[in-house]
Amino acid sequence: MRVPVLLFVTLVAGTIGAPATAAPTCLLEVDSKRYLEGLCTITEDGAGSWLIVRDRLSGQAATVKINPILSGRGDAVWTGPSGDGRLSEALGSVRREGSCWVNTRARICAWGYQ
């Protein structure tokens, strides 16, 4: 009887002690329409800049290029409403608000990535 109880306690303790890892979550909203919301892939592009993509099958993506001089400012580009996979439509200058980068036209957010 001791072996099954000990095994159970060991398994539970290992589960509790292990940190949970969740997939990143993203939001891409342009002109009051949501194009990407939920699980996503986030790729850092150096100097704090990053790219968000829903998944490899979806063409929707956006990137924020961080301004190295003006902290909390950057420029955003996205694939456009067609989501053809090419980052070709400028969203303009954005400012950081928590986990999001925003301007009057767009909101690009990313949570849960390191």
Side-chain angles (χ1 to χ4, degrees), residues 28-35 76-81 89-95 101-108:
L28 171 59
E29 189 174 272
V30 180
D31 297 328
S32 300
K33 183 175 179 185
R34 289 194 175 170
Y35 289 91
V77 179
W78 76 308
T79 56
E89 188 172 319
L91 292 170
S93 296
V94 290
R95 71 186 179 288
W101 293 84
V102 301
N103 62 18
T104 57
R105 186 171 176 218
R107 175 173 296 276
I108 304 166

Side-chain angles (χ1 to χ4, degrees), residues 2 6 8 10-11 14-15 20 24 28 37 39-41 47 52-53 66 70-71 73 77 81-82 84 87 94 105 112:
R2 284 187 175 177
L6 182 58
F8 175 76
T10 303
L11 289 174
T15 303
L28 171 59
E37 181 177 22
L39 298 178
C40 62
T41 300
I52 63 171
V53 180
I66 308 303
L70 298 174
S71 179
R73 300 285 182 176
V77 179
S82 66
D84 65 5
L87 294 166
V94 290
R105 186 171 176 218

